[in-house]
Amino acid sequence: MAFNKRTKINVLLKTASIDDRVTLMGWVRTKRSNKNVTFIALNDGSCIQNFQVVADPEVIPEDILKRVNTGACLKINGVLVASQGTGQSVELAADEVILLGESDPEKYPIQPKKHTMEFLRENAHLRVRTNTFAAIFRIRHNLAFAVHEYFHNKGFFYIHSPIITASDAEGAGETFRVTTLNPKNPPLASEGVVDFSQDFFGRETNLTVSGQLEGELAALALSEIYTFGPTFRAENSNTTRHLAEFWMIEPEMAFYDAEDNQNLAEEFLKYVISFALTSCGDDLAFLNQRADEEEKLKKADQRSPMSLIERLKFVVENEFTRITYTDALEILRQSSPNKKKKFTYPIEDWGMDLQSEHERYLVEKHFNKPVIITDYPKAIKSFYMRQNDDGKTVAAMDILFPGIGEIVGGSQREERLGKLEERMDELAISREEMWWYLDTRRFGTTPHAGFGLGFERLVQFVTGMGNIRDVIPFPRTPGNAEF
């Protein structure tokens, strides 16, 4: 059996001609029959469209057609004929149907009906066979391709930062420990604590929370680099915005200041979203319709003023508004929702961390544009961010999108050794353990900057999905590592 001679459905839809002989392979979405004919909707994952196959019971044995059920995998040989129905100009008249893999119609969970997202998460091993998830993961692929294409065309180098590390870049302590020690009887030091000097790496290690620090090392030699890899955070959160395992895109650029950083991030986001609009039209149209149906189920005051595709074009077609944290806080303080106490988190003193509801108000109500907030209070940002001359703020930025709030966070990095050491001391971050990071400030330091974009957050925005667990094939969340 020659599998490589099949025609993919996405190709067939573009090139099909009457009387062409083709071989299709894929999975049955639906089957309907009468005594004269059987119609099979076949999908091979190459596109959102199914291809209709017509099987004549006088040509295809009845015992074969009885075993063709939803979820079964088929190889079908036949000839293209003019379609008698709507939606497709041609269909495949089968002269041979081969069952590659049968499906029990009583047990197959992904039936041709509407399923809840929670049900599909419980069946994540099969959910990609639905139109919704197949569309999401095709878009995810295209976005990943666009990320690499953008940075390659800009002259950036792709760096693989370590997955196992001894540092916690964010300083939050929410890391997954990596060890080969016996969990029932680990070796103990004289103080009664675990002796990690006997562990595989000779010290305590964890899964990375970010590739940024290692990315900085590479940028201070190669000028412009990016990392794109898995990151892990042991945050016990069950919100629609958090995963324990996710992918991060983190460019780092020597000879960039805070404004250069903002310019690059805006250009990058517009590029990858434009790529999706151009390359994923059918999948986005399907998800746009799905999102519209979801919006109708919400209360009127909770509905988005824009459709999914309108939101994507909104980002691409508008210049991002840039505003300082201080000015943003004052806008929020004077806003109607704050004065009427409609914010869940009221605007309080300068120095508070902004919440998603505040970010979305700025984007969707006040400016009606994507927003870049800059110059955050030093106290709520990471140690590596460059301190501004006022002594209170840092050269940080967050980029805010409609419907989702923050999508990118970044900063100019603190290149001055003295200032960096001073900040590390304030936060009790060990200079000795971070000697290698400090060395880059001792030897040939230079202004540099970078940002981080959670890839799943980007996919969530582009696909319009409400829960981040639905834009990664196998979500890792508290209590969930089933697949």
Side-chain angles (χ1 to χ4, degrees):
M1 184 182 293
F3 287 101
N4 61 351
K5 292 184 179 180
R6 74 182 178 103
T7 301
K8 290 186 178 182
I9 290 173
N10 66 330
V11 173
L12 186 59
L13 290 171
K14 297 173 184 176
T15 62
S17 296
I18 302 298
D19 295 332
D20 282 355
R21 170 161 286 281
V22 298
T23 297
L24 295 184
M25 298 183 197
W27 292 267
V28 178
R29 288 290 176 84
T30 60
K31 181 187 81 169
R32 52 191 176 90
S33 301
N34 58 43
K35 63 180 181 180
N36 299 316
V37 67
T38 292
F39 297 98
I40 302 167
L42 201 72
N43 190 283
D44 64 3
S46 62
C47 60
I48 194 96
Q49 289 90 351
N50 301 326
F51 202 88
Q52 180 160 285
V53 177
V54 182
D56 185 335
E58 293 186 2
V59 177
I60 307 299
E62 186 178 353
D63 65 314
I64 293 289
L65 292 177
K66 284 183 178 179
R67 293 156 61 196
V68 172
N69 297 303
T70 297
C73 189
L74 308 179
K75 175 181 178 180
I76 302 177
N77 294 313
V79 174
L80 296 179
V81 297
S83 178
Q84 302 302 308
T86 60
Q88 204 168 279
S89 60
V90 295
E91 57 195 18
L92 183 63
D95 50 43
E96 184 180 30
V97 174
I98 300 170
L99 278 110
L100 301 177
E102 296 192 45
S103 177
D104 186 335
E106 300 298 320
K107 296 179 179 179
Y108 182 60
I110 312 298
Q111 292 297 316
K113 64 178 183 178
K114 187 175 179 63
H115 295 288
T116 66
M117 289 294 106
E118 189 58 42
F119 173 83
L120 292 172
R121 285 179 213 126
E122 292 169 359
N123 292 275
H125 59 307
L126 295 171
R127 67 177 180 169
V128 74
R129 296 194 192 181
T130 65
N131 280 338
T132 296
F133 284 95
I136 290 167
F137 297 135
R138 281 190 294 266
I139 291 171
R140 183 182 171 107
H141 158 79
N142 276 277
L143 288 170
F145 178 83
V147 168
H148 289 296
E149 182 176 71
Y150 173 81
F151 285 121
H152 178 77
N153 290 342
K154 293 283 287 189
F156 281 59
F157 299 107
Y158 180 29
I159 295 294
H160 296 114
S161 54
I163 291 174
I164 299 173
T165 178
S167 68
D168 175 4
E170 299 299 321
E174 296 166 335
T175 60
F176 289 99
R177 181 175 293 163
V178 175
T179 181
T180 59
L181 296 178
N182 185 335
K184 294 182 179 180
N185 187 29
L188 301 177
S190 57
E191 302 84 5
V193 297
V194 175
D195 182 5
F196 285 103
S197 68
Q198 297 187 46
D199 207 346
F200 185 90
F201 294 106
R203 61 182 303 175
E204 191 171 359
T205 55
N206 53 266
L207 296 179
T208 185
V209 301
S210 168
Q212 178 202 314
L213 301 187
E214 292 85 359
E216 284 188 57
L217 309 185
L220 293 172
L222 299 173
S223 290
E224 295 167 330
I225 67 93
Y226 70 105
T227 71
F228 186 180
T231 51
F232 309 85
R233 295 189 187 174
E235 183 178 358
N236 190 15
S237 174
N238 282 290
T239 75
T240 59
R241 294 159 56 93
H242 289 91
L243 291 166
E245 176 185 287
F246 54 100
W247 288 67
M248 284 288 288
I249 302 157
E250 297 178 286
E252 291 290 330
M253 299 78 64
F255 319 118
Y256 271 54
D257 63 13
E259 184 178 355
D260 297 324
N261 198 33
Q262 295 161 34
N263 292 342
L264 182 83
E266 179 174 346
E267 181 184 88
F268 166 66
L269 286 167
K270 288 181 175 179
Y271 182 92
V272 295
I273 293 170
S274 295
F275 188 94
L277 283 167
T278 302
S279 303
C280 307
D282 290 343
D283 286 327
L284 283 174
F286 171 82
L287 292 175
N288 188 75
Q289 182 179 358
R290 179 191 176 280
D292 285 348
E293 292 170 358
E294 293 285 318
E295 288 293 315
K296 292 175 185 176
L297 301 177
K298 297 179 181 178
K299 295 179 181 177
D301 61 345
Q302 295 178 342
R303 291 174 188 165
S304 172
M306 293 179 279
S307 71
L308 170 61
I309 290 177
E310 286 172 341
R311 284 199 299 272
L312 301 183
K313 291 181 177 179
F314 172 86
V315 168
V316 170
E317 295 170 359
N318 282 291
E319 284 193 16
F320 295 9
T321 294
R322 304 185 188 194
I323 184 173
T324 66
Y325 166 90
T326 301
D327 289 343
L329 197 72
E330 189 57 29
I331 290 170
L332 291 165
R333 182 177 283 114
Q334 300 300 328
S335 70
S336 177
N338 192 57
K339 289 182 176 180
K340 294 180 179 179
K341 302 188 184 303
K342 290 189 175 182
F343 282 143
T344 303
Y345 298 91
I347 298 301
E348 298 171 346
D349 296 336
W350 188 93
M352 68 174 289
D353 213 348
L354 301 183
Q355 303 297 319
S356 180
E357 60 179 341
H358 307 140
E359 296 166 342
R360 291 186 60 185
Y361 173 83
L362 292 169
V363 174
E364 298 168 24
K365 303 296 184 183
H366 187 82
F367 289 109
N368 199 32
K369 286 183 179 182
V371 175
I372 303 178
I373 298 183
T374 66
D375 302 305
Y376 279 85
K378 178 175 72 171
I380 61 173
K381 289 297 182 179
S382 298
F383 77 96
Y384 48 73
M385 296 187 176
R386 195 180 202 276
Q387 298 174 52
N388 291 329
D389 293 340
D390 60 15
K392 298 191 305 178
T393 62
V394 290
M397 69 151 179
D398 284 346
I399 299 182
L400 316 179
F401 272 12
I404 199 167
E406 180 198 341
I407 194 165
V408 162
S411 72
Q412 185 173 340
R413 313 312 190 189
E414 182 57 82
E415 86 280 8
R416 298 164 296 183
L417 178 62
K419 288 283 189 181
L420 183 58
E421 289 180 329
E422 179 184 295
R423 185 67 177 137
M424 290 171 69
D425 291 345
E426 288 175 8
L427 298 175
I429 297 172
S430 171
R431 295 192 198 183
E432 289 73 24
E433 290 188 7
M434 298 291 290
W435 64 270
W436 50 272
Y437 186 70
L438 293 172
D439 262 4
T440 58
R441 276 63 173 175
R442 293 189 181 101
F443 310 125
T445 188
T446 186
H448 60 288
F451 62 84
L453 167 62
F455 186 52
E456 281 71 30
R457 189 70 62 87
L458 173 66
V459 180
Q460 191 178 4
F461 176 74
V462 172
T463 60
M465 299 304 293
N467 195 315
I468 202 165
R469 302 178 190 203
D470 297 327
V471 298
I472 190 169
F474 305 103
R476 294 291 178 256
T477 53
N480 179 28
E482 183 69 20
F483 304 103

